[in-house]
Amino acid sequence: MNPKESDPSEAFRLLPGVDEVLRLARVLEIAARSSSREVTSLVRRALEALRSEIAEGGLDAAALTERLAGDELAERVEALFAADRKLGVLPAINATGVVLHTGLGRAPVHPEVAERMAEVARSYCVLEVERASGMRNRRDDRLSELLSRVTGCEAAIAVNNNAAAVFLCLNTFASGGEGIVSRGELVEIGGSFRVPDVMTRAGVSLHEVGTTNRTRIADYRSAISEKSGILLKVHTSNFRVVGFTEEVSMEELAELGSEMGVTSAFDLGSGLIELEGSAPLDMLGGETRVREAVQSGLDVVSFSGDKLFGGPQAGLIVGRKGKIEALRQNPIYRALRLDKTSLRGLEVTLQMLLDGRGDEVPTRRMMHLTADELKSVAEELAAGIDGLPGLSAECSADSSQPGSGSAPHIFLDTWVVRVRHDSLSPDALGRRLRMGEPILFTRIAEDALVCDPRTLLGDDARGLLQAFAAIQDRPSQRSKCH
Ligand SMILES: *Cc1c(COP(=O)(O)O)cnc(C)c1O
């Protein structure tokens, strides 16, 4: 045995009991802000941490006595309490430049939309009742009406997200039968949404047609049988086959469907809306507009509420009245329907679009920001960061991406701030910023940490500077030397 290693039982005996720690003034203060039940579990965790340090031989009786005298336990309980309150769905600053960042909650809604959402969240609201008659009605009647004005559809229905929308369409129109999909469109979106898997779960057998790069309308036609329930077109959001390709147009698919009596559907992914009064999102090139898809004659078209559309999370299905009614009659709809706050958020976002205020929708506004506009913001940020101890910053031209599988081939010209730290690697710096206050997410390039001002909202520029300044204030990690 190493002579320096003392008997751990002596150190264990020095550890106070839970009740004793609970009586410490600083611990009582936390209990007053929370509850004794919550604090007791934190005290147990703090003691457990010390116990394992002792057991691992890293803490002897002498060192422990010293640390306990230094109020170590109260400090640990405070740190655990603070860390515990920093978990969950917290506001964060997005300086990644990825406009629709799924990890960061995709589309932030307009403050006015958020306020209307909060209003119905904290009160009762007119959700499923008609005011004039006092009779029960449908929660998304108004949404359906607004969506028909915006997209030209006959009717619409809203569900939890676009994955749910696709599931509902498959299950309603093709359960027990076949769904016909082009081989080139059997995509996986975001790791867990695979078209073939979703079909299986919806009770639909997949009938693949064509090849990865070429599918013709004749391929669909020859696949149709009495088992066919749906002709599904899927937007290949996050990849693009280039070169010798051919895909069936929406019009051809719609026509074939109506000729053969099979429902035609298009999973559009991102809902690109173009309305007069708002600058078109021309940078997205040939991205299909929802209105075009509706006009093509397809029976149903689905898209996300929180991608380019710029609203809260939702799956929106627009299309023919009879088809939408069939979706509504499916008992599964009940399990997929939207809550009052999301419905309100969608209504108000649609109303903004109809009022010619589309340019104010945050996702649209961020997409439109020019490199020139962003350059001046980047320069201001760089000046603010460059002065801070340990940090240096410079601006450079770069590109941002729409994100969330929207237009993977699209890069938007931007200006970024490249930040370096004297002693921290870009990765380590990025981690500090993510763990700091305010919470800041950035991009990591090989040699620097990159802040893209495209995705900063409201007061975020100030918050970003605070986040960098806070790195300096933070006491260095507790030394692990004994
Ligand atoms: C994003 C996307 C989905 C999934 O939509 P969620 O709203 O995230 O459920 C489905 N299909 C396509 C083509 C998409 O781009």
Side-chain angles (χ1 to χ4, degrees):
M1 204 183 181
N2 183 337
K4 278 182 78 183
E5 240 170 65
S6 59
D7 178 9
S9 60
E10 195 189 331
F12 281 130
R13 269 196 303 275
L14 284 172
L15 278 180
V18 173
D19 286 341
E20 203 177 319
V21 183
L22 281 169
R23 285 193 296 270
L24 295 173
R26 283 164 72 179
V27 175
L28 283 170
E29 244 169 69
I30 298 174
R33 281 157 67 198
S34 177
S35 68
S36 60
R37 178 200 162 89
E38 283 284 281
V39 176
T40 304
S41 82
L42 298 179
V43 168
R44 290 217 166 89
R45 275 167 60 192
L47 285 168
E48 196 44 55
L50 283 180
R51 231 172 258 128
S52 26
E53 251 188 78
I54 297 167
E56 284 159 18
L59 193 55
D60 61 15
L64 180 62
T65 309
E66 194 182 315
R67 279 163 67 175
L68 290 177
D71 241 0
E72 162 120 357
L73 272 165
E75 226 167 72
R76 280 187 185 244
V77 173
E78 278 171 358
L80 285 170
F81 182 71
D84 190 66
R85 295 296 152 116
K86 279 191 200 149
L87 297 175
V89 187
L90 300 168
I93 299 173
N94 177 6
T96 66
V98 179
V99 179
L100 300 167
H101 194 301
T102 300
L104 299 180
R106 291 209 188 141
V109 299
H110 190 280
E112 219 172 284
V113 175
E115 182 46 43
R116 297 284 94 78
M117 290 173 77
E119 249 169 36
V120 294
R122 60 178 169 246
S123 69
Y124 292 102
C125 62
V126 186
L127 184 62
E128 284 191 354
V129 58
E130 206 223 346
R131 286 165 67 195
S133 63
M135 304 290 276
R136 193 73 179 261
N137 73 354
R138 292 161 165 174
R139 61 177 54 207
D140 55 0
D141 278 348
R142 174 63 178 171
L143 183 73
S144 177
E145 164 65 24
L146 292 170
L147 275 167
S148 76
R149 289 188 211 165
V150 168
T151 72
C153 68
E154 290 174 10
I157 186 170
V159 289
N160 182 57
N161 57 12
N162 189 32
V166 174
F167 179 86
L168 184 62
C169 290
L170 287 166
N171 184 267
T172 304
F173 301 121
S175 180
E178 281 183 0
I180 303 176
V181 188
S182 163
R183 199 161 265 131
E185 295 173 358
L186 289 171
V187 294
E188 168 173 321
I189 295 133
S192 57
F193 184 78
R194 285 185 169 170
V195 174
D197 298 344
V198 175
M199 289 189 100
T200 309
R201 291 304 176 118
V204 180
S205 315
L206 169 65
H207 192 139
E208 296 173 44
V209 294
T211 60
T212 306
N213 59 333
R214 304 194 87 186
T215 302
R216 301 178 182 83
I217 193 68
D219 297 325
Y220 286 93
R221 185 181 285 278
S222 60
I224 292 180
S225 70
E226 71 285 354
K227 286 183 283 182
S228 309
I230 195 167
L231 299 170
L232 176 66
K233 198 170 164 55
V234 183
H235 189 292
T236 53
S237 301
N238 49 7
F239 78 101
R240 212 158 74 116
V241 180
V242 293
F244 186 60
T245 62
E246 184 172 343
E247 63 174 314
V248 168
S249 74
M250 299 184 286
E251 288 77 7
E252 285 175 295
L253 203 67
E255 205 177 307
L256 179 65
S258 77
E259 181 194 328
M260 308 297 288
V262 181
T263 301
S264 58
F266 193 176
D267 168 15
L268 257 186
S270 228
L272 177 53
I273 306 279
E274 297 296 18
L275 270 190
E276 56 186 279
S278 310
L281 294 170
D282 285 335
M283 73 295 279
L284 295 174
E287 181 74 26
T288 308
R289 277 89 174 124
V290 178
R291 183 174 277 274
E292 285 169 5
V294 168
Q295 269 170 357
S296 74
L298 288 164
D299 290 321
V300 286
V301 174
S302 75
F303 57 98
S304 298
D306 55 352
K307 289 188 181 171
L308 285 173
F309 179 77
Q313 180 188 307
L316 302 169
I317 311 172
V318 297
R320 296 191 189 281
K321 208 173 173 145
K323 299 291 179 181
I324 300 296
E325 195 50 42
L327 295 171
R328 212 181 280 286
Q329 296 309 321
N330 187 335
I332 287 177
Y333 164 63
R334 174 65 189 253
L336 306 175
R337 70 183 187 183
L338 269 186
D339 72 300
K340 59 179 182 174
T341 52
S342 303
L343 277 167
R344 186 64 184 143
L346 292 166
E347 287 174 0
V348 182
T349 304
L350 283 161
Q351 195 66 65
M352 283 186 84
L353 287 164
L354 285 164
D355 290 342
R357 298 176 60 197
D359 294 345
E360 293 176 49
V361 173
T363 46
R364 300 182 72 94
R365 189 182 55 70
M366 291 189 275
M367 295 286 292
H368 279 302
L369 287 169
T370 64
D372 268 353
E373 291 169 296
L374 293 164
K375 187 177 181 188
S376 58
V377 184
E379 280 168 351
E380 260 176 58
L381 292 174
I385 297 167
D386 203 41
L388 299 168
L391 290 165
S392 64
E394 59 186 20
C395 293
S396 71
D398 208 316
S399 56
S400 358
Q401 278 215 280
S404 273
S406 309
H409 52 291
I410 302 293
F411 291 91
L412 309 167
D413 288 338
T414 191
W415 274 79
V416 298
V417 190
R418 304 174 70 81
V419 186
R420 287 187 192 77
H421 190 273
D422 282 352
S423 53
L424 296 170
S425 68
D427 272 332
L429 181 57
R431 180 174 194 282
R432 286 273 183 100
L433 293 165
R434 292 195 304 275
M435 298 301 292
E437 182 67 47
I439 301 168
L440 172 63
F441 281 75
T442 58
R443 234 171 29 222
I444 307 290
E446 319 90 66
D447 59 334
L449 178 124
V450 175
C451 296
D452 187 334
R454 179 178 302 279
T455 42
L456 298 182
L457 296 157
D459 223 11
D460 282 352
R462 211 162 49 126
L464 182 143
L465 292 176
Q466 275 169 11
F468 276 101
I471 288 179
Q472 318 308 324
D473 304 341
R474 279 223 283 163
S476 56
Q477 295 290 89
R478 180 185 302 284
S479 162
K480 289 281 174 203
C481 319
H482 318 293

